[in-house]
Short mmCIF file of all heavy atoms in Angstrom, two decimals:
data_model
loop_
_atom_site.label_atom_id
_atom_site.label_comp_id
_atom_site.label_asym_id
_atom_site.label_seq_id
_atom_site.Cartn_x
_atom_site.Cartn_y
_atom_site.Cartn_z
N TRP A 312 131.50 -50.54 -12.28
CA TRP A 312 130.72 -51.40 -13.16
C TRP A 312 129.57 -50.63 -13.77
O TRP A 312 128.91 -49.85 -13.10
CB TRP A 312 130.15 -52.58 -12.39
CG TRP A 312 131.19 -53.55 -11.93
CD1 TRP A 312 132.01 -53.43 -10.85
CD2 TRP A 312 131.54 -54.77 -12.56
NE1 TRP A 312 132.84 -54.52 -10.76
CE2 TRP A 312 132.57 -55.35 -11.79
CE3 TRP A 312 131.07 -55.44 -13.69
CZ2 TRP A 312 133.14 -56.58 -12.13
CZ3 TRP A 312 131.63 -56.66 -14.02
CH2 TRP A 312 132.65 -57.22 -13.25
N ARG A 313 129.31 -50.86 -15.04
CA ARG A 313 128.10 -50.39 -15.70
C ARG A 313 127.04 -51.45 -15.47
O ARG A 313 127.28 -52.64 -15.68
CB ARG A 313 128.32 -50.20 -17.19
CG ARG A 313 129.17 -49.02 -17.53
CD ARG A 313 128.35 -47.76 -17.39
NE ARG A 313 129.21 -46.60 -17.50
CZ ARG A 313 128.78 -45.37 -17.33
NH1 ARG A 313 127.51 -45.14 -17.03
NH2 ARG A 313 129.61 -44.37 -17.43
N VAL A 314 125.87 -51.02 -15.06
CA VAL A 314 124.77 -51.95 -14.76
C VAL A 314 123.51 -51.44 -15.46
O VAL A 314 123.18 -50.26 -15.38
CB VAL A 314 124.52 -52.04 -13.23
CG1 VAL A 314 123.36 -52.95 -12.91
CG2 VAL A 314 125.79 -52.51 -12.52
N ARG A 315 122.85 -52.35 -16.14
CA ARG A 315 121.63 -52.01 -16.87
C ARG A 315 120.55 -53.02 -16.52
O ARG A 315 120.75 -54.23 -16.65
CB ARG A 315 121.91 -52.05 -18.38
CG ARG A 315 120.71 -51.77 -19.24
CD ARG A 315 121.00 -51.97 -20.71
NE ARG A 315 122.07 -51.10 -21.13
CZ ARG A 315 122.80 -51.28 -22.23
NH1 ARG A 315 122.58 -52.33 -23.00
NH2 ARG A 315 123.76 -50.45 -22.56
N ALA A 316 119.41 -52.54 -16.08
CA ALA A 316 118.26 -53.42 -15.83
C ALA A 316 117.53 -53.60 -17.16
O ALA A 316 117.28 -52.63 -17.88
CB ALA A 316 117.33 -52.80 -14.79
N VAL A 317 117.22 -54.85 -17.51
CA VAL A 317 116.52 -55.14 -18.76
C VAL A 317 115.28 -55.99 -18.46
O VAL A 317 115.22 -56.69 -17.46
CB VAL A 317 117.43 -55.85 -19.78
CG1 VAL A 317 118.56 -54.96 -20.23
CG2 VAL A 317 117.99 -57.14 -19.22
N THR A 318 114.33 -55.90 -19.37
CA THR A 318 113.06 -56.61 -19.19
C THR A 318 113.15 -58.08 -19.58
O THR A 318 112.29 -58.86 -19.21
CB THR A 318 111.95 -55.96 -20.02
OG1 THR A 318 112.31 -56.02 -21.40
CG2 THR A 318 111.73 -54.52 -19.60
N GLY A 319 114.15 -58.44 -20.35
CA GLY A 319 114.28 -59.83 -20.77
C GLY A 319 113.38 -60.17 -21.93
O GLY A 319 113.05 -61.33 -22.15
N SER A 320 112.99 -59.19 -22.73
CA SER A 320 112.05 -59.44 -23.82
C SER A 320 112.73 -59.84 -25.12
O SER A 320 112.07 -59.92 -26.15
CB SER A 320 111.19 -58.20 -24.03
OG SER A 320 112.03 -57.10 -24.37
N SER A 321 114.03 -60.11 -25.10
CA SER A 321 114.74 -60.41 -26.35
C SER A 321 114.45 -61.80 -26.89
O SER A 321 114.75 -62.10 -28.03
CB SER A 321 116.26 -60.26 -26.14
OG SER A 321 116.74 -61.33 -25.36
N GLY A 322 113.89 -62.69 -26.08
CA GLY A 322 113.62 -64.05 -26.53
C GLY A 322 114.82 -64.97 -26.39
O GLY A 322 114.77 -66.11 -26.81
N LYS A 323 115.91 -64.48 -25.81
CA LYS A 323 117.11 -65.29 -25.62
C LYS A 323 117.17 -65.86 -24.21
O LYS A 323 116.62 -65.29 -23.28
CB LYS A 323 118.37 -64.45 -25.83
CG LYS A 323 118.65 -64.08 -27.24
CD LYS A 323 119.93 -63.27 -27.25
CE LYS A 323 120.59 -63.24 -28.58
NZ LYS A 323 121.84 -62.48 -28.54
N THR A 324 117.89 -66.96 -24.07
CA THR A 324 118.18 -67.53 -22.76
C THR A 324 119.63 -67.22 -22.44
O THR A 324 120.51 -67.37 -23.29
CB THR A 324 117.97 -69.05 -22.77
OG1 THR A 324 116.60 -69.31 -23.08
CG2 THR A 324 118.31 -69.66 -21.42
N TYR A 325 119.88 -66.75 -21.23
CA TYR A 325 121.24 -66.43 -20.78
C TYR A 325 121.56 -67.31 -19.58
O TYR A 325 120.68 -67.90 -18.97
CB TYR A 325 121.35 -64.95 -20.38
CG TYR A 325 121.06 -64.01 -21.52
CD1 TYR A 325 119.83 -63.39 -21.63
CD2 TYR A 325 122.02 -63.74 -22.48
CE1 TYR A 325 119.55 -62.52 -22.68
CE2 TYR A 325 121.76 -62.87 -23.53
CZ TYR A 325 120.53 -62.27 -23.61
OH TYR A 325 120.27 -61.42 -24.66
N ARG A 326 122.83 -67.38 -19.21
CA ARG A 326 123.25 -68.13 -18.03
C ARG A 326 123.88 -67.16 -17.05
O ARG A 326 124.84 -66.47 -17.38
CB ARG A 326 124.22 -69.23 -18.38
CG ARG A 326 124.54 -70.12 -17.18
CD ARG A 326 125.17 -71.43 -17.55
NE ARG A 326 124.37 -72.26 -18.43
CZ ARG A 326 123.41 -73.11 -18.02
NH1 ARG A 326 123.11 -73.20 -16.74
NH2 ARG A 326 122.77 -73.87 -18.87
N CYS A 327 123.35 -67.12 -15.83
CA CYS A 327 123.85 -66.22 -14.79
C CYS A 327 125.20 -66.75 -14.28
O CYS A 327 125.30 -67.90 -13.87
CB CYS A 327 122.85 -66.16 -13.64
SG CYS A 327 123.40 -65.19 -12.23
N PRO A 328 126.26 -65.92 -14.29
CA PRO A 328 127.55 -66.38 -13.80
C PRO A 328 127.59 -66.54 -12.28
O PRO A 328 128.48 -67.19 -11.75
CB PRO A 328 128.53 -65.30 -14.26
CG PRO A 328 127.70 -64.10 -14.49
CD PRO A 328 126.33 -64.57 -14.85
N GLY A 329 126.62 -65.98 -11.56
CA GLY A 329 126.60 -66.09 -10.11
C GLY A 329 126.09 -67.41 -9.60
O GLY A 329 126.60 -67.96 -8.63
N CYS A 330 125.07 -67.96 -10.28
CA CYS A 330 124.46 -69.21 -9.82
C CYS A 330 124.52 -70.31 -10.87
O CYS A 330 124.13 -71.44 -10.60
CB CYS A 330 123.02 -68.98 -9.40
SG CYS A 330 121.93 -68.52 -10.77
N ASP A 331 124.98 -69.98 -12.06
CA ASP A 331 125.09 -70.90 -13.19
C ASP A 331 123.74 -71.46 -13.61
O ASP A 331 123.66 -72.54 -14.19
CB ASP A 331 126.08 -72.03 -12.87
CG ASP A 331 126.67 -72.64 -14.13
OD1 ASP A 331 127.03 -71.86 -15.04
OD2 ASP A 331 126.75 -73.87 -14.22
N GLN A 332 122.66 -70.74 -13.33
CA GLN A 332 121.32 -71.14 -13.75
C GLN A 332 120.89 -70.28 -14.92
O GLN A 332 121.39 -69.17 -15.13
CB GLN A 332 120.32 -70.98 -12.60
CG GLN A 332 120.65 -71.82 -11.39
CD GLN A 332 120.61 -73.31 -11.70
OE1 GLN A 332 119.64 -73.82 -12.23
NE2 GLN A 332 121.70 -73.99 -11.38
N GLU A 333 119.93 -70.78 -15.69
CA GLU A 333 119.44 -70.03 -16.85
C GLU A 333 118.59 -68.85 -16.44
O GLU A 333 117.87 -68.90 -15.44
CB GLU A 333 118.62 -70.94 -17.75
CG GLU A 333 119.43 -71.98 -18.47
CD GLU A 333 118.60 -72.80 -19.42
OE1 GLU A 333 117.35 -72.76 -19.35
OE2 GLU A 333 119.20 -73.49 -20.26
N ILE A 334 118.68 -67.81 -17.24
CA ILE A 334 117.77 -66.67 -17.15
C ILE A 334 116.89 -66.81 -18.39
O ILE A 334 117.34 -66.64 -19.51
CB ILE A 334 118.52 -65.33 -17.16
CG1 ILE A 334 119.48 -65.25 -15.97
CG2 ILE A 334 117.52 -64.17 -17.14
CD1 ILE A 334 120.39 -64.03 -16.00
N ARG A 335 115.66 -67.18 -18.18
CA ARG A 335 114.73 -67.49 -19.28
C ARG A 335 114.24 -66.22 -19.98
O ARG A 335 114.21 -65.16 -19.37
CB ARG A 335 113.53 -68.25 -18.73
CG ARG A 335 113.91 -69.52 -18.02
CD ARG A 335 113.61 -70.66 -18.88
NE ARG A 335 114.02 -71.90 -18.20
CZ ARG A 335 114.18 -73.00 -18.85
NH1 ARG A 335 113.99 -73.04 -20.13
NH2 ARG A 335 114.54 -74.09 -18.22
N PRO A 336 113.83 -66.36 -21.24
CA PRO A 336 113.26 -65.21 -21.95
C PRO A 336 112.08 -64.63 -21.17
O PRO A 336 111.28 -65.37 -20.61
CB PRO A 336 112.80 -65.81 -23.28
CG PRO A 336 113.65 -67.01 -23.47
CD PRO A 336 113.90 -67.55 -22.08
N GLY A 337 112.02 -63.34 -21.11
CA GLY A 337 110.94 -62.66 -20.41
C GLY A 337 111.23 -62.35 -18.95
O GLY A 337 110.49 -61.61 -18.32
N ALA A 338 112.30 -62.93 -18.40
CA ALA A 338 112.65 -62.68 -17.00
C ALA A 338 113.50 -61.42 -16.90
O ALA A 338 114.51 -61.29 -17.59
CB ALA A 338 113.42 -63.86 -16.42
N GLY A 339 113.09 -60.50 -16.05
CA GLY A 339 113.88 -59.30 -15.83
C GLY A 339 115.21 -59.66 -15.19
O GLY A 339 115.28 -60.59 -14.38
N HIS A 340 116.27 -58.98 -15.58
CA HIS A 340 117.59 -59.27 -15.04
C HIS A 340 118.51 -58.06 -15.25
O HIS A 340 118.05 -57.02 -15.72
CB HIS A 340 118.18 -60.54 -15.68
CG HIS A 340 118.36 -60.46 -17.16
ND1 HIS A 340 117.34 -60.64 -18.06
CD2 HIS A 340 119.46 -60.21 -17.91
CE1 HIS A 340 117.80 -60.52 -19.29
NE2 HIS A 340 119.09 -60.24 -19.23
N LEU A 341 119.77 -58.20 -14.88
CA LEU A 341 120.74 -57.13 -15.03
C LEU A 341 121.80 -57.54 -16.04
O LEU A 341 122.19 -58.70 -16.10
CB LEU A 341 121.44 -56.85 -13.69
CG LEU A 341 120.55 -56.44 -12.53
CD1 LEU A 341 121.38 -56.33 -11.26
CD2 LEU A 341 119.85 -55.12 -12.83
N VAL A 342 122.25 -56.56 -16.81
CA VAL A 342 123.41 -56.75 -17.68
C VAL A 342 124.51 -55.88 -17.08
O VAL A 342 124.32 -54.68 -16.87
CB VAL A 342 123.12 -56.33 -19.13
CG1 VAL A 342 124.35 -56.52 -20.01
CG2 VAL A 342 121.94 -57.11 -19.68
N CYS A 343 125.66 -56.48 -16.76
CA CYS A 343 126.73 -55.78 -16.05
C CYS A 343 128.06 -56.01 -16.75
O CYS A 343 128.31 -57.10 -17.26
CB CYS A 343 126.83 -56.30 -14.61
SG CYS A 343 125.26 -56.34 -13.74
N TRP A 344 128.90 -54.97 -16.74
CA TRP A 344 130.24 -55.09 -17.31
C TRP A 344 131.16 -54.08 -16.65
O TRP A 344 130.73 -53.04 -16.19
CB TRP A 344 130.22 -54.91 -18.83
CG TRP A 344 129.78 -53.56 -19.31
CD1 TRP A 344 130.58 -52.49 -19.62
CD2 TRP A 344 128.44 -53.12 -19.57
NE1 TRP A 344 129.82 -51.43 -20.05
CE2 TRP A 344 128.51 -51.79 -20.03
CE3 TRP A 344 127.19 -53.73 -19.45
CZ2 TRP A 344 127.38 -51.06 -20.36
CZ3 TRP A 344 126.07 -52.99 -19.78
CH2 TRP A 344 126.16 -51.68 -20.23
N PRO A 345 132.46 -54.41 -16.58
CA PRO A 345 133.43 -53.47 -16.01
C PRO A 345 133.47 -52.20 -16.86
O PRO A 345 133.38 -52.28 -18.09
CB PRO A 345 134.77 -54.21 -16.08
CG PRO A 345 134.41 -55.65 -16.28
CD PRO A 345 133.09 -55.66 -16.98
N GLU A 346 133.58 -51.06 -16.23
CA GLU A 346 133.62 -49.78 -16.93
C GLU A 346 134.66 -49.83 -18.05
O GLU A 346 135.80 -50.23 -17.85
CB GLU A 346 133.96 -48.66 -15.94
CG GLU A 346 134.16 -47.31 -16.56
CD GLU A 346 132.91 -46.71 -17.19
OE1 GLU A 346 131.80 -47.21 -16.96
OE2 GLU A 346 133.05 -45.73 -17.93
#
Side-chain angles (χ1 to χ4, degrees):
W312 291 80
R313 287 283 170 185
V314 178
R315 177 186 301 161
V317 294
T318 61
S320 60
S321 72
K323 287 181 160 182
T324 299
Y325 299 101
R326 187 164 300 275
C327 175
C330 66
D331 204 43
Q332 299 298 307
E333 290 184 346
I334 300 173
R335 302 256 178 197
H340 61 280
L341 301 174
V342 179
C343 310
W344 63 94
E346 174 66 13

